[in-house]
Amino acid sequence: MSRNRSSRVSGLRFDRGRNATGALLLSALFLMGGSANSVAQDMPPPAVVVEPVALVDVGETAVFNGRLEAEKRVAIRPRVAGTLESIDFQPGDRVNKGDILFQIDDDLYAAAVKEAEGAVRSAEALQKSAELERERQAELVKRQATSQAMLDNAIANLGNADGALIRARAALERAELNLSYTSVEAPFAGRLSAATVDEGALIGPEGGPLVALTQLDPIHVIFPVPTAIYRDYSERVQAGEASTRASVNLVLANGSEYSLPGDLDFIESTVSPGTDSINLRARFDNADGVLLDQELVRVVLASSEPEPQLTVDQRSVLHDLSGTYVMVVNGENVVEQRRVEIDRTVGGRSVIRTGVTEGENVITDGLNKVRPGIVVDAALASGS
């Protein structure tokens, strides 16, 4: 037979010189396949953490965008003109009602007060003299020692003196007021902006504002509610299906929740044509000044009369192109995919309308390890 003659074994063609090498390769492949199957069979099921579907008292909630508005906000202007002598605050200071913010040079106004005081004393003396003259003329008329015309003239002079005294006293009050206005005071408690002027500047009522003062405690949030939602809610209240009592909470720009709840205190009586919405207002205590004027926030309205609802941990809810689902571990520790309908999420728990029943175990941790149909090693979450 030829040295290059080949033979066939089980449909495989080998060269005689390579028979040993081919056999070794086949043996190695068979051994590897058998080893892989053995390893797959020996691997333990993936460990997951489950939590039972539970009935939890959850109130109805709705979330809206809103903006904070200060209780009071004013631009403080001087009432009198003069040179600014001192600025008695730092930008951002909190002040109380009556605290002095600016001091205007008061020399001119103090002099005006003294001048008005002198005018009052002169008027008082003239009024007293006129009064005495009237009494003297009245006595002379009784004695028929003078004419009635003289008495009438004395009475008229007394009237003029009385009027002059009133005018002098009014001028004194005006001068004293102007003097008091040289000390610019805070009209209410609040927080100050930076001053818009410097010491030594000539200021007056016709100039711009000196500083802005904002009262942050309490503070309000204004938030628009679509008319359709407001109508639906009103109809549910009338039908006894919803409560008129609700708590109001705030979620700040960084996602943190404000610690104190608010009270709904105003509902606008007109609808905004541009947005077809109704403005609602809620009041919040803000003694620490955490909430800032004009800050954009989210307003969470929650019913104060919660009812039992089927809920799952928010982490167990997954989404794909077909919708929302959870992974359930049945009694045989086999994973099942369940399509669910989520009503809302409150405090980290999702309220489920359909898809699961109370007591069924849904996977909360280890979701990346599972697929429908596989067996898992399930452990209950702590506290479940």
Side-chain angles (χ1 to χ4, degrees):
M1 297 176 63
S2 171
R3 183 176 299 178
N4 295 329
R5 184 178 178 181
S6 62
S7 62
R8 298 180 182 272
V9 178
S10 300
L12 297 175
R13 185 175 181 276
F14 295 97
D15 292 334
R16 286 182 179 272
R18 299 177 182 175
N19 283 351
T21 302
L24 288 173
L25 287 173
L26 283 174
S27 298
L29 288 173
F30 287 138
L31 287 173
M32 289 177 63
S35 176
N37 290 335
S38 175
V39 170
Q41 291 174 358
D42 293 341
M43 286 183 63
V48 297
V49 178
V50 297
E51 182 179 308
V53 180
L55 280 173
V56 177
D57 287 339
V58 178
E60 291 189 83
T61 60
V63 181
F64 306 95
N65 291 326
R67 192 173 294 278
L68 295 173
E69 289 195 358
E71 174 80 359
K72 297 177 183 177
R73 188 189 313 111
V74 296
I76 297 177
R77 299 172 182 268
R79 295 189 178 187
V80 294
T83 302
L84 183 59
E85 284 193 337
S86 64
I87 300 174
D88 301 319
F89 66 89
Q90 295 296 322
D93 277 356
R94 295 182 184 179
V95 294
N96 297 315
K97 180 179 180 179
D99 285 353
I100 295 177
L101 309 180
F102 300 93
Q103 184 63 53
I104 300 172
D105 180 15
D106 62 358
D107 290 345
L108 181 64
Y109 299 98
V113 169
K114 292 181 179 180
E115 182 180 1
E117 287 174 343
V120 167
R121 291 188 179 183
S122 295
E124 287 175 342
L126 292 175
Q127 189 262 356
K128 183 64 175 178
S129 176
E131 186 176 6
L132 292 173
E133 180 62 19
R134 183 204 61 184
E135 292 174 357
R136 189 174 72 84
Q137 292 297 330
E139 183 63 27
L140 291 174
V141 167
K142 285 181 181 180
R143 298 176 184 177
Q144 297 183 349
T146 188
S147 65
Q148 181 64 38
M150 293 297 292
L151 176 59
D152 293 341
N153 188 54
I155 293 173
N157 289 336
L158 177 59
N160 289 331
D162 288 339
L165 179 58
I166 292 173
R167 290 192 298 273
R169 287 174 175 169
L172 175 60
E173 290 179 4
R174 183 168 57 253
E176 289 173 339
L177 277 175
N178 286 337
L179 178 61
S180 69
Y181 291 156
T182 58
S183 296
V184 181
E185 300 177 353
F188 52 80
R191 182 180 292 182
L192 294 164
S193 68
T196 62
V197 293
D198 296 319
E199 293 179 359
L202 182 62
I203 60 176
E206 303 303 323
L210 305 180
V211 70
L213 176 63
T214 305
Q215 180 177 318
L216 297 176
D217 183 32
I219 197 168
H220 292 93
V221 60
I222 309 293
F223 57 100
V225 175
T227 307
I229 294 178
Y230 178 76
R231 288 297 180 196
D232 288 343
Y233 172 74
S234 298
E235 291 175 1
R236 292 183 60 202
V237 169
Q238 293 176 0
E241 299 174 355
S243 171
T244 56
R245 299 175 58 192
S247 64
V248 189
N249 295 282
L250 294 181
V251 178
L252 306 182
N254 63 351
S256 63
E257 295 185 7
Y258 184 58
S259 59
L260 300 176
D263 298 312
L264 195 65
D265 66 350
F266 174 73
I267 299 176
E268 184 62 75
S269 58
T270 58
V271 175
S272 173
T275 59
D276 194 28
S277 60
I278 299 173
N279 283 336
L280 277 66
R281 188 181 75 178
R283 176 189 180 277
F284 288 83
D285 290 330
N286 188 34
D288 295 332
V290 174
L291 303 179
L292 303 177
D293 185 35
Q294 299 301 305
E295 181 178 357
L296 187 64
V297 296
R298 281 182 293 160
V299 184
V300 181
L301 295 181
S303 169
S304 58
E305 298 177 0
E307 297 179 354
Q309 303 281 348
L310 280 179
T311 66
V312 296
D313 191 305
Q314 184 180 1
R315 295 174 299 167
S316 66
V317 179
L318 303 173
H319 306 273
D320 61 14
L321 294 177
S322 299
T324 305
Y325 65 94
V326 296
M327 291 296 196
V328 176
V329 178
N330 64 22
E332 286 74 36
N333 284 337
V334 176
V335 176
E336 300 177 4
Q337 185 186 60
R338 296 282 187 84
R339 293 289 171 182
V340 293
E341 183 180 354
I342 303 296
D343 181 66
R344 61 191 182 278
T345 299
V346 182
R349 299 196 66 81
S350 295
V351 179
I352 296 186
R353 291 182 178 178
T354 59
V356 292
T357 58
E358 183 183 5
E360 288 190 298
N361 290 322
V362 298
I363 299 176
T364 59
D365 292 302
L367 286 165
N368 60 325
K369 309 175 189 177
V370 303
R371 65 181 184 277
I374 71 168
V375 176
V376 294
D377 180 13
L380 281 175
S382 60
S384 298

